[in-house]
Amino acid sequence: MSQIDKILYTGRTTTTGGRNGAARSDDGRLDILLAPPGAAGNGTNPEQLFAAGWSACFIGAMGLAAAELKVALPKDTGVHAEVDLGTGTGGYLLRARLSISLPGLPRDTAQAIVDSAHANCPYSKATRGNIGVTLTLL
């Protein structure tokens, strides 16, 4: 397992009530209601939060990869993330799909950016070998 040499940031949240509760960050910037997937009313769920966090981080990793290749990341770059919650051998499991849009870039350049981002994004590293992940370059 890799070790952190220098901490750049620590996110701190407190959650109460689990999937029927609330989560708040220590700085108050995040203050959300939680609800199970498909429940009526307000509230998000851990799968949506994970999808949002991973897609945002992945775009950041693509920006670094593009800079290394000396190309500009398109302004309308996007990542559509889907995180499935399911059951299988061993109980509850996750699976994810990232659909990546890098409009205007040559396909080989875009693929190189996606490959580098997936190799370096902390969320990709955390999930590698632990859940099913599919990357699709649109």
Side-chain angles (χ1 to χ4, degrees):
M1 173 173 40
S2 298
Q3 298 294 318
I4 292 177
D5 294 325
K6 178 183 176 185
I7 295 173
L8 302 175
Y9 176 76
T10 300
R12 292 179 179 88
T13 63
T14 300
T15 301
T16 57
R19 288 182 177 268
N20 289 300
R24 181 175 169 85
S25 62
D26 67 335
D27 62 6
R29 290 181 175 214
L30 177 73
D31 190 358
I32 57 171
L33 295 176
L34 299 170
N42 295 327
T44 189
N45 58 66
E47 292 73 32
Q48 289 174 331
L49 293 169
F50 186 61
W54 192 356
S55 57
C57 186
F58 201 87
I59 290 172
M62 287 195 300
L64 294 174
E68 287 179 6
L69 294 174
K70 297 184 180 3
V71 298
L73 201 61
K75 290 187 189 309
D76 48 355
T77 292
V79 175
H80 176 79
E82 297 177 90
V83 175
D84 300 323
L85 171 65
T87 57
T89 304
Y92 291 99
L93 301 168
L94 296 176
R95 177 177 60 195
R97 290 172 303 287
L98 301 181
S99 298
I100 300 114
S101 176
L102 292 166
L105 289 181
R107 185 141 187 102
D108 61 333
T109 302
Q111 189 64 58
I113 290 170
V114 168
D115 293 344
S116 177
H118 191 51
N120 293 300
C121 172
Y123 281 74
S124 293
K125 288 179 181 180
T127 59
R128 190 168 290 116
N130 295 310
I131 69 171
V133 176
T134 302
L135 301 178
T136 303
L137 177 59
L138 303 175

